[in-house]
Amino acid sequence: MKAYERLLNYVVIKTPSDEESMTTPSSACQFDLAVKLKEEMIQLGLSDVVLDDKCYLYGKLPATAGYENVPAIGFIAHMDTVSDFSSGTITPVITKNYDGGELKLGNSGLTLSPKDFPHLESLKGRTLITSDGTTILGADDKAGIAEILTAAEHLLNDPSIPHGEVKIAFTPDEEIGRGPDHFDIKRFGADFA
């Protein structure tokens, strides 16, 4: 699966964190994405996949033969989104072959303008994924999750790429500054991340 396809699957799952909450995760909906990711990680063939009661998800890609003693690298991304503009249905908009001009956000009446965002002009000719302007998209950090799992899938499907263990973790509540609060560094087990 391509990373953008994964991203489109993830962003429609609402995961806003709640800074008023005293629980971990701060919002139960973060488990909705975590459970989906756990199933996907198992289907991909990752090992030691664990989703704990605080919504921290861990897994690993075993080392290829002969690379078991190479330091383990880790990749971490967070599952939560900001709570602002997250109450409606999340509708991604795909703009193929972007022309570099005003970018309409669905039927919301909102646009992104190169006058306000000069870097848009550098994206001319590319495919862009945005929200429809009525909610956030939540690509931070669901795009990171999509990239990590796509890379893991690539390594699993191409045994000619040697690597040590690759550790993966997805965390809750980063947007409210509590992502590391219950992160199990020992369970994660990466030498570098």
Side-chain angles (χ1 to χ4, degrees):
M1 183 182 297
K2 304 252 185 222
Y4 79 89
E5 294 169 320
R6 282 191 166 93
L7 175 64
L8 292 172
N9 288 330
Y10 303 157
V11 295
V12 296
I13 301 170
K14 292 182 185 183
T15 58
S17 48
D18 178 1
E19 63 188 338
E20 302 298 320
S21 171
M22 300 311 294
T23 64
T24 302
S26 65
S27 57
C29 62
Q30 292 179 68
F31 271 112
D32 296 340
L33 180 57
V35 167
K36 179 180 180 67
L37 294 174
K38 177 183 177 185
E39 292 169 2
E40 185 174 349
M41 291 166 73
I42 291 168
Q43 288 174 353
L44 285 174
L46 296 174
S47 62
D48 300 332
V49 177
V50 174
L51 174 59
D52 72 17
D53 65 339
K54 302 283 188 197
C55 202
Y56 290 77
L57 178 59
Y58 305 90
K60 77 174 182 180
L61 177 65
T64 52
Y67 289 82
E68 297 86 359
N69 294 322
V70 171
I73 61 168
F75 294 95
I76 306 169
H78 63 93
M79 297 177 281
D80 65 315
T81 63
V82 297
S83 59
D84 300 331
F85 305 104
S86 63
S87 62
T89 301
I90 300 167
T91 307
V93 174
I94 301 170
T95 303
K96 294 184 178 182
N97 197 25
Y98 169 58
D99 66 8
E102 299 284 319
L103 180 62
K104 290 184 179 184
L105 299 179
N107 296 320
S108 68
L110 299 173
T111 60
L112 296 178
S113 171
K115 293 175 189 170
D116 298 322
F117 304 98
H119 71 281
L120 282 173
E121 292 174 344
S122 70
L123 302 175
K124 185 176 181 178
R126 295 190 180 190
T127 298
L128 305 184
I129 301 173
T130 63
S131 81
D132 67 353
T134 63
T135 64
I136 60 163
L137 182 61
D140 171 22
D141 194 21
K142 292 175 183 175
I145 295 169
E147 290 291 344
I148 291 167
L149 290 182
T150 301
E153 180 179 39
H154 183 72
L155 290 172
L156 284 162
N157 290 334
D158 189 349
S160 71
I161 303 172
H163 57 83
E165 277 190 336
V166 177
K167 310 291 186 152
I168 295 172
F170 302 128
T171 65
D173 295 334
E174 184 274 348
E175 294 291 351
I176 58 173
R178 294 191 232 154
D181 287 2
H182 300 281
F183 187 75
D184 189 336
I185 294 172
K186 186 174 181 179
R187 172 177 275 163
F188 184 50
D191 295 300
F192 303 98

